[in-house]
Amino acid sequence: MTFSSNQNSRRKFIKSTALAGTAMSLVSPSMLFGETKAEKIRLAFIGTGERGRGQLSVALYRDDVEITALADPNAEVLNKAAKMVEERQGNKPALYGNGDYDYKKLLERDDVDAVYIATPWVWHVPMGVDAMRAGKAVAMEVSGATDLQECWDLVNVQEETGTPFMFMENVNYRRDVMAVMNMVREGLFGEMIHLEGGYQHDLRGVKFNDGKSPYGQGVKFGDEGYSESKWRTNHSVHRNAELYPTHGLGPVATTVNVNRGNRFEYLTSMATKSRGLHEYIVNHPNGGKDHPNAKVNFRLGDVVTTLIKTANGETITLNHDTNLPRPYSLGFRYQGTKGLWMDINDSLYVEGVSEPHRWTDDKAFMEKYDHPLWKKYGKQAATAGHGGMDFFVMHAFIEAWKRKAPMPLDVYDAASWMAVTCLSEESISKGSEPVQFPDFTRGKWINRKPIFAFDDSY
């Protein structure tokens, strides 16, 4: 995926457009979707790197999807995706690879109902805005926002056009997270008080990847990098913020009904010193203290902690930790007046049920409160990307589009979750001062009703 990550060029592009207006297993699609009307969605992908091709694989094994077009300026990944489509559908999709903006020609096609955007972060909003203005439903991959205007651009254009828009946060569909959401909804933990989530993932091998050395053996990024290291690492150079908030925030936000009877009011953020990426380069066999990248000043603190206050009184803690050696964990914690669940030890505590002051293994509770969606599609989804989560987020988008139903993760969710990045950046720069959240719903949150995953429909 090599869309330009030049920030100045991209912001000029946003302004001009605003002014102008992992493969899934080979299960039978009929087994998965036979109960749904046969109407097809004609879907195009903008961005065919690893993430784009992963979701393309999920889409290709549905009998209610036709892939009609692909866009990516990187000929290598574009051709890989085209081959996937040709092998599955028997025909080659239209290809758009003539530079960063060739995707705009894709949006002019009459045989595209919707687009899936899986590009570098800085392109998500302008592409989403363009697609909505062109009348194409949008499935947009997750990221943090560059500034608040991006968030307002998404909201304003969606409200203006009425074009369907879904924020593709797959962790909302993680099996244990959905089971715990059921526990919360059924009152197992009492009234919710505090929640935690995060993105705690050693990404040094992703941020320094030359595409030639084995994974974790490179120390290059930017123009010399490969895949995400071409663009993602530069965010760590230039920004000190909660760069990737939505995996940890999305599930807890829907659990406490943010934007639907609740909202984020303000946050405060704090960042540690930055040492991890520099030491990785200096101590790496392919790096060293004299390597050019050892002179780079990485602004991103190794651990960024953000605390959010909601209108209904809950607090939410987010942790961003991607520059240090550690196992992967999203660090979820759901705590109420009667008990709590934590994913770090796969345990919970329920007053009057658990042995006092001792954790209870959550296995029996996970089985009891397993979400109907997982009961219905779990076997088929299990081998899709990210442990099946990719199946469910794609399924939700396509089913909502076909039924002309509201998207379960909508533009207000996207705006409020993405805004955490630029708001945390502001808070850190001001000595961890509290920063207010805009109300992207313009007051509609008071009367909007929760809709996410209340049955097994989508």
Side-chain angles (χ1 to χ4, degrees), residues 170-391:
N170 60 354
V171 180
N172 273 70
Y173 292 92
R174 205 172 91 173
R175 191 166 198 160
D176 59 346
V177 166
M178 295 193 81
V180 174
M181 180 180 66
N182 270 350
M183 297 178 200
V184 172
R185 287 175 174 175
E186 296 191 26
L188 185 67
F189 304 123
E191 182 181 356
M192 295 311 293
I193 300 296
H194 177 73
L195 304 98
E196 296 182 8
Y199 193 61
Q200 302 175 129
H201 190 185
D202 183 354
L203 292 181
R204 295 173 299 168
V206 172
K207 293 183 180 184
F208 301 112
N209 182 3
D210 60 15
K212 299 175 183 178
S213 306
Y215 178 81
Q217 297 301 307
V219 291
K220 297 179 179 179
F221 69 95
D223 292 339
E224 295 182 311
Y226 171 78
S227 188
E228 291 185 37
S229 69
K230 279 188 170 295
W231 55 269
R232 186 169 187 161
T233 317
N234 279 320
H235 289 270
S236 300
V237 176
H238 297 292
R239 307 192 70 183
N240 193 12
E242 167 46 91
L243 291 181
Y244 204 58
T246 70
H247 283 343
L249 185 58
V252 300
T254 49
T255 297
V256 294
N257 302 324
V258 170
N259 296 322
R260 296 178 179 276
N262 197 4
R263 66 175 291 254
F264 300 141
E265 287 194 334
Y266 63 90
L267 64 70
T268 182
S269 293
M270 183 176 293
T272 69
K273 56 191 173 184
S274 176
R275 295 292 185 272
L277 298 182
H278 174 76
E279 290 196 7
Y280 183 79
I281 295 168
V282 169
N283 297 323
H284 199 286
N286 294 331
K289 63 178 181 165
D290 295 324
H291 192 281
N293 287 341
K295 299 176 176 61
V296 175
N297 179 29
F298 295 96
R299 294 193 63 192
L300 178 64
D302 290 336
V303 178
V304 177
T305 304
T306 300
L307 186 62
I308 301 172
K309 184 68 179 293
T310 72
N312 287 353
E314 302 95 353
T315 54
I316 299 170
T317 300
L318 294 180
N319 290 294
H320 184 270
D321 175 0
T322 63
N323 297 345
L324 300 169
R326 61 158 300 134
Y328 172 86
S329 170
L330 295 186
F332 285 117
R333 171 177 165 183
Y334 292 62
Q335 187 165 14
T337 55
K338 296 181 180 178
L340 76 161
W341 170 77
M342 297 181 69
D343 77 340
I344 194 66
N345 55 2
D346 294 324
S347 297
L348 51 73
Y349 181 85
V350 180
E351 191 172 42
V353 176
S354 301
E355 183 179 348
H357 306 291
R358 292 186 179 273
W359 291 106
T360 299
D361 186 282
D362 67 10
K363 182 178 179 180
F365 289 84
M366 290 297 169
E367 293 175 356
K368 178 179 179 180
Y369 291 94
D370 195 20
H371 194 275
L373 274 169
W374 274 95
K375 290 179 180 179
K376 187 174 183 179
Y377 296 119
K379 290 181 180 179
Q380 297 95 328
T383 53
H386 295 94
M389 298 185 294
D390 290 349
F391 165 89

Side-chain angles (χ1 to χ4, degrees), residues 21-97:
T22 333
M24 185 177 176
S25 61
L26 304 183
V27 294
S28 168
S30 61
M31 288 172 59
L32 300 183
F33 312 110
E35 76 279 18
T36 304
K37 293 181 180 179
E39 182 182 0
K40 281 195 174 188
I41 182 171
R42 297 169 299 178
L43 183 62
F45 275 73
I46 303 176
T48 57
E50 292 185 9
R51 181 57 182 161
R53 295 197 308 278
Q55 286 298 75
L56 174 62
S57 177
V58 174
L60 281 170
Y61 286 94
R62 295 184 63 113
D63 63 0
D64 53 0
V65 175
E66 179 184 1
I67 305 300
T68 55
L70 306 170
D72 198 302
N74 183 322
E76 180 183 359
V77 300
L78 184 61
N79 288 330
K80 284 182 180 179
K83 184 178 180 181
M84 291 170 60
V85 177
E86 193 168 6
E87 288 177 350
R88 179 62 187 173
Q89 291 187 174
N91 63 290
K92 189 173 182 178
L95 303 181
Y96 295 85

Side-chain angles (χ1 to χ4, degrees), residues 9-11 45-46 166 195 313 359 456:
S9 171
R10 190 194 68 88
R11 291 309 297 164
F45 275 73
I46 303 176
M166 180 160 164
L195 304 98
W359 291 106
D456 67 352

Side-chain angles (χ1 to χ4, degrees), residues 121-193:
W121 300 339
V122 295
W123 285 96
H124 288 184
V125 171
M127 289 173 171
V129 165
D130 270 0
M132 286 189 286
R133 289 197 183 281
K136 313 301 184 186
V138 173
M140 193 178 85
E141 270 296 336
V142 300
S143 68
T146 301
D147 55 39
L148 288 179
Q149 187 57 51
E150 281 196 330
C151 302
W152 282 116
D153 288 346
L154 282 177
V155 169
N156 292 338
V157 173
Q158 200 284 324
E159 289 181 342
E160 171 192 328
T161 64
T163 309
F165 176 98
M166 180 160 164
F167 200 45
M168 304 298 279
E169 180 44 78
N170 60 354
V171 180
N172 273 70
Y173 292 92
R174 205 172 91 173
R175 191 166 198 160
D176 59 346
V177 166
M178 295 193 81
V180 174
M181 180 180 66
N182 270 350
M183 297 178 200
V184 172
R185 287 175 174 175
E186 296 191 26
L188 185 67
F189 304 123
E191 182 181 356
M192 295 311 293
I193 300 296

